[in-house]
Amino acid sequence: MKKLISVLLAIVMLFTITIPALAAQKTVAASENYDGNPVVIVRGIDFAGLTYENGEKALNVSASTIFSALMDGFMGMLKLKKVDSVLDGAFLAAKEVFDPISCDKEGNSKYYDVSMKQYPESMASYPEFVASLPDGGEEGIVKTAVDKYGAENTYFFTYDWRKTPEQIADELHSLIGTARRNSGKDKVNIICASMGGMVTTAYFYYYGTYNVESAVFLSGAQNGTYVCGDALNGRIVFDGDVLVKFINGATGDNVFLKIFIGIFDMLGVVDFIANIANDMVSESFDRGNDLMLRDSLGAFCGFWALCPDEDFESGVENIFGGHEEDYPVLLDKIDGVKDFVFSTEDTLSKAMADGVKISFVSNYNSGLVPVYEKANLNGDNVLEAELTSNFATIAPLGETLSKGYIENADPKYISPDNVIDASTAVFKDNTWFVKDAPHVAADYRTGFSEFTFTLLESETQPTINSFEKYPQFMIADEFLFVSPLK
């Protein structure tokens, strides 16, 4: 049960990636003189993008449905005096909510009429969509690209994230082929965000690098996310201190709430609640797995592609152990996903050796959803900075590296706030860190956006020494304008 709740919470966390900005403005006319490569924006995971053939969203999280199921469980708990009744109600409610986007035992969409809204041509073919683009998230990046390069040179890759990395890479290859044919250019440039980092890496793995000149990874999930690894392995921990850090970060400048949470923490209420939660999730995994997880969510191959190397095989055993004979096709697909997941460092290193100009941007100083073992790590509200930076050494949220560690480290790669040692990152000279920036922060007409496109347009491989304005360590203000961290 513990693993089931953890996966559901992980999905809730990933769902936040898809929340768009509320504001929308018309884009300005693009330059007619652009003669560079077409640009492909590869978005992150998008739950809301899965729709029926009539355009209606497939995933409708109904509060009334969940409330009704929980109330049924609560009444059962009062009658039978068993907590399991409430938990069963929660599982069944989640199963009902996620059923439209569920996959079958072979890892295919359970319903043939549910698919992802996609854009197989340039943005010039979708004027209404372009006119309604919000300023935030991946759509904000698309909006900027349309302004800079023209709608005819801008492509937006969306995908059914439930599929295998290979299937998604096939679709990206098709879109890149369209962009090359339409533009007459041999190569494209890519900006990939969040899960898009995994997708772009999959493209390099399955199709090579010839068709790509540059790629910028924004909060990229090329190494997966620990929330998935912990979730699939049942490592759920409700830690009072981590919970307080997360709530304080989420409350922003609300002093009243911070004081309120501080009093609760001082009185031990937060730890008390955390202990109760830990006791509740320590029971009944097998029942929860049978009720909902294995068939409803365990069949998402794209979800497995976000599982870190060290957690992959144990996660498969936890979810499918004892039931392997029921899922031969799905497990064969998942085994193929494992081969890709284990190749990330080699794939990206080869891409750079082949001449692809690759840059990584990792945001930090925000809490993560406080329900899994590694939730004490530093991140961008959604992904852990350790993974988006390709394994820089980063102190836990609210802490700094020890004095002894710093004294023995290369000062060139130590952040001014003593939180990060970038020297351990796989691509230490091609990775930037932005303090206080949220997940996928390149919103329209912001300094972060300008920084992103500067990396993309560099004529040579960008390094942390390429731009005086953009050193390795920066900080973002509330308007997402970036400046050197001091």
Side-chain angles (χ1 to χ4, degrees), residues 16-86:
T16 62
I17 302 173
T18 70
I19 300 175
L22 296 177
Q25 303 173 4
K26 290 186 177 181
T27 55
V28 299
S31 170
E32 297 179 358
N33 300 319
Y34 180 71
D35 191 40
N37 294 328
V39 176
V40 179
I41 290 86
V42 183
R43 73 154 303 127
I45 194 170
D46 181 12
F47 282 79
L50 290 169
T51 63
Y52 295 107
E53 289 179 344
N54 63 6
E56 180 184 347
K57 290 183 179 180
L59 185 62
N60 289 305
V61 182
S62 169
S64 61
T65 298
I66 296 175
F67 180 76
S68 176
L70 289 175
M71 284 303 297
D72 288 345
F74 182 68
M75 295 305 295
M77 182 186 72
L78 293 178
K79 182 178 180 180
L80 302 175
K81 297 183 180 180
K82 289 185 178 181
V83 175
D84 285 350
S85 298
V86 172

Side-chain angles (χ1 to χ4, degrees), residues 119-316:
Y119 306 92
E121 298 292 338
S122 76
M123 289 293 97
S125 298
Y126 312 100
E128 292 184 2
F129 174 72
V130 171
S132 65
L133 285 169
D135 289 350
E138 292 91 326
E139 289 83 359
I141 301 172
V142 174
K143 189 172 181 177
T144 301
V146 168
D147 279 3
K148 291 175 68 66
Y149 313 127
E152 69 279 8
N153 292 304
T154 302
Y155 293 78
F156 189 29
F157 182 63
T158 62
Y159 50 91
D160 188 337
W161 46 268
R162 301 172 299 173
K163 295 181 178 180
T164 67
E166 183 173 11
Q167 290 172 314
I168 298 171
D170 291 344
E171 295 177 0
L172 178 55
H173 182 64
S174 177
L175 183 68
I176 288 175
T178 298
R180 293 173 63 230
R181 286 192 301 273
N182 290 347
S183 66
K185 300 293 182 180
D186 291 333
K187 298 180 183 294
V188 302
N189 296 336
I190 292 175
I191 297 177
C192 52
S194 195
M195 187 175 178
M198 180 279 287
V199 171
T200 301
T201 305
Y203 178 77
F204 291 149
Y205 179 77
Y206 292 107
Y207 283 97
T209 60
Y210 176 78
N211 296 328
V212 181
E213 181 167 321
S214 64
V216 178
F217 286 66
L218 295 178
S219 303
Q222 62 275 4
N223 295 300
T225 169
Y226 286 131
V227 71
C228 288
D230 282 353
L232 293 167
N233 285 277
R235 294 191 293 264
I236 283 301
V237 176
F238 291 90
D239 185 289
D241 291 338
V242 175
L243 182 60
V244 169
K245 288 180 182 179
F246 178 79
I247 294 174
N248 281 335
T251 56
D253 296 327
N254 193 318
V255 177
F256 174 77
L257 282 177
K258 289 182 185 295
I259 294 174
F260 184 76
I261 294 300
I263 293 173
F264 265 55
D265 186 29
M266 183 175 62
L267 294 175
V269 175
V270 176
D271 285 337
F272 177 74
I273 293 173
N275 289 335
I276 291 177
N278 284 324
D279 289 341
M280 288 186 64
V281 300
S282 65
E283 309 168 1
S284 307
F285 166 69
D286 289 340
R287 179 162 178 75
N289 201 8
D290 291 339
L291 275 174
M292 188 256 181
L293 174 59
R294 190 180 300 115
D295 288 330
S296 294
L297 302 177
F300 292 162
C301 290
F303 193 73
W304 288 99
L306 295 175
C307 185
D309 300 12
E310 64 267 30
D311 297 324
F312 198 99
E313 292 176 337
S314 58
V316 173

Side-chain angles (χ1 to χ4, degrees), residues 339-350:
D339 292 340
F340 157 68
V341 166
F342 280 44
S343 75
T344 297
E345 182 177 335
D346 289 343
T347 298
L348 291 172
S349 295
K350 183 179 185 302

Side-chain angles (χ1 to χ4, degrees), residues 359-380:
S359 307
F360 301 93
V361 182
S362 178
N363 303 336
Y364 75 104
N365 205 40
S366 295
L368 304 164
V369 176
V371 295
Y372 62 107
E373 190 172 81
K374 293 188 176 71
N376 67 318
L377 298 181
N378 217 316
D380 60 10

Side-chain angles (χ1 to χ4, degrees), residues 309-329:
D309 300 12
E310 64 267 30
D311 297 324
F312 198 99
E313 292 176 337
S314 58
V316 173
E317 175 62 26
N318 279 331
I319 301 303
F320 295 103
H323 299 268
E324 292 87 352
E325 68 280 1
D326 297 327
Y327 302 87
V329 175

